[in-house]
Amino acid sequence: MEIPPSANNQPHLTPYLQQQGGTFPEGQPRRNRKLIIAIAAGAAVVLTAATAGVILLVSSLSPAQDVSATAETYFQALIDGDGEKALSVSDPGVPENEKALLQSNVYKNAGQHIDGYRIMDARSDFVTAEVTQNGRKQEIILRMTKSPEGEWKVGAKNFQKIRLSSSRPVESFTVNGVDVAAPGAGTGARDSLLMPAFPGEYTLGISGDKYATAEEQKALVSIDRAISKTTERLTVIPSQLLLDETRTLLENKRSECTATTPVNASEASRRGCSGFALYEYRPTRNLKWTIEKEPTFTLLRSEDGWIIQSEEAGKASVSYEVNSGRDDAPQWEPKVELVTPRASGEIQIVDGKATLKDR
């Protein structure tokens, strides 16, 4: 419905809400087109702003911040002695069976962990930090690497390795009280280990053999490579158990030698009775041995056992009667000889038990 013209003969348009149909009334299309253009332009501005926000957000997660966060996690784990945590953000570049020294049960008992750190610079593939260990500060560079999953890790170039070897093949080594298996037979290195380790001081020994031991040694993995001491050779020595059992075996042998005295040096050597020979060609009787001082010995490791090496001769005497007459008219005379018995032989381990073998 239309309203009649006013006095000034200007028509009044019917309000838009009262229009019927889907077309714009006369006089509206231009203004509405402007409105549509304005809305579209506004949407473009909003879209541009949102895009810029995404770009700014993505830019804020820069590689430098990623590697810095990884380095902080790594250093804090080293301070805490948490080997598993440090290993989770690093890649030592070795197979699982060579990561024994990086586990928490080994690393938590290491001495001289790092005391603190300060990140100085972070780039896409390295982090520069000032690290303190045992009160000593050192500027170091962590070389970073990216995992197949896209995570930044402390790379293998940052790891030093401990080389642990022994004078003879052993069943296993110990590092901070934890058994670490030695390479198996046929590997060509049964007496040697080479494994990566976190910064710290490690106590090294051997285990797995009740008859062998070694004096503990220390290995230091320092943040300053120039003062690291990461190569240690352990000297395998007999355990107290083996020394005691060897002494008992030698005493039993001595009892055997004195029960039936060798008549000459050749027989004494053949029977393992060195020092217990009686150099008398005439008939004797009533032999009696007196041990004044036991011989001492050391044990030297051989390929398949231990060699008894005489250290200091013992002191003994033997009293007896010798026939200075004829067989049909004996004349028995008392006699005393001083002898110097020595320990000799070889200890072999048979079915897990020490046995004495004459040499």
Side-chain angles (χ1 to χ4, degrees):
M1 178 181 69
E2 294 184 356
I3 300 174
S6 60
N8 57 9
N9 204 29
Q10 295 295 325
H12 290 278
L13 297 178
T14 303
Y16 170 65
L17 293 176
Q18 295 179 11
Q19 291 291 325
Q20 301 296 319
T23 61
F24 289 105
E26 185 180 357
Q28 292 294 323
R30 182 181 300 274
R31 199 163 50 241
N32 282 306
R33 282 196 300 272
K34 289 181 180 179
L35 179 61
I36 292 171
I37 292 171
I39 292 173
V45 171
V46 172
L47 180 60
T48 302
T51 303
V54 171
I55 293 172
L56 289 174
L57 178 61
V58 172
S59 298
S60 68
L61 301 176
S62 65
Q65 289 179 312
D66 286 347
V67 296
S68 180
T70 298
E72 289 178 357
T73 300
Y74 177 73
F75 286 135
Q76 188 58 51
L78 296 185
I79 292 173
D80 298 338
D82 189 342
E84 269 79 10
K85 186 66 174 179
L87 192 56
S88 72
V89 292
S90 60
D91 180 10
V94 295
E96 288 298 320
N97 63 348
E98 295 182 19
K99 295 180 180 179
L101 308 190
L102 304 175
Q103 305 303 320
S104 286
N105 60 344
V106 172
Y107 190 55
K108 70 182 179 181
N109 294 320
Q112 298 190 38
H113 293 161
I114 70 168
D115 309 314
Y117 69 92
R118 179 171 65 89
I119 303 297
M120 301 172 65
D121 189 19
R123 303 293 176 90
S124 60
D125 60 350
F126 70 87
V127 173
T128 303
E130 182 185 72
V131 181
T132 306
Q133 182 185 29
N134 198 29
R136 184 182 63 259
K137 291 184 178 180
Q138 178 75 23
E139 185 176 313
I140 66 171
I141 295 177
L142 285 184
R143 301 292 180 181
M144 312 298 286
T145 185
K146 219 167 194 180
S147 70
E149 296 76 27
E151 298 178 333
W152 284 105
K153 303 268 189 178
V154 175
K157 291 183 179 180
N158 302 283
F159 286 84
Q160 297 184 61
K161 293 185 177 182
I162 290 179
R163 181 180 295 278
L164 177 57
S165 64
S166 62
S167 58
R168 302 300 301 173
V170 296
E171 294 292 328
S172 60
F173 295 98
T174 61
V175 182
N176 295 341
V178 178
D179 288 352
V180 179
T187 62
R190 289 183 60 200
D191 60 345
S192 179
L193 277 180
L194 181 64
M195 291 186 173
F198 295 124
E201 186 179 56
Y202 297 80
T203 303
L204 313 175
I206 66 170
S207 65
D209 186 347
K210 66 179 180 179
Y211 289 133
T213 186
E215 293 184 4
E216 290 185 341
Q217 302 287 338
K218 300 284 188 180
L220 175 64
V221 178
S222 172
I223 53 175
D224 182 357
R225 290 174 180 263
I227 66 172
S228 288
K229 185 183 180 184
T230 58
T231 299
E232 286 296 340
R233 185 170 180 82
L234 299 171
T235 300
V236 179
I237 59 177
S239 67
Q240 188 59 49
L241 174 63
L242 181 58
L243 291 171
D244 292 342
E245 290 191 10
T246 300
R247 189 172 292 107
T248 299
L249 290 169
L250 289 173
E251 288 174 356
N252 293 339
K253 170 60 70 172
R254 182 195 69 198
S255 297
E256 176 190 323
C257 293
T258 56
T260 308
T261 304
V263 296
N264 53 49
S266 178
E267 182 185 347
S269 177
R270 178 175 55 80
R271 289 173 50 190
C273 298
S274 177
F276 289 97
L278 187 62
Y279 301 98
E280 180 59 66
Y281 65 91
R282 295 171 295 179
T284 59
R285 69 179 184 181
N286 299 330
L287 275 75
K288 181 181 180 180
W289 285 91
T290 302
I291 306 299
E292 299 175 7
K293 180 183 177 182
E294 294 283 357
T296 60
F297 63 92
T298 58
L299 292 176
L300 302 179
R301 189 67 183 263
S302 64
E303 185 63 34
D304 57 355
W306 299 83
I307 297 172
I308 301 174
Q309 186 176 60
S310 179
E311 195 171 50
E312 185 177 351
K315 291 182 180 181
S317 63
V318 56
S319 62
Y320 58 93
E321 292 179 337
V322 61
N323 183 7
S324 60
R326 299 191 310 269
D327 292 341
D328 59 347
Q331 295 182 9
W332 296 103
E333 298 178 359
K335 193 170 184 180
V336 175
E337 286 189 15
L338 299 179
V339 296
T340 54
R342 295 181 179 274
S344 64
E346 183 175 355
I347 298 296
Q348 292 186 338
I349 311 303
V350 180
D351 296 330
K353 186 173 179 60
T355 60
L356 177 63
K357 176 184 176 182
D358 296 337
R359 298 187 73 205

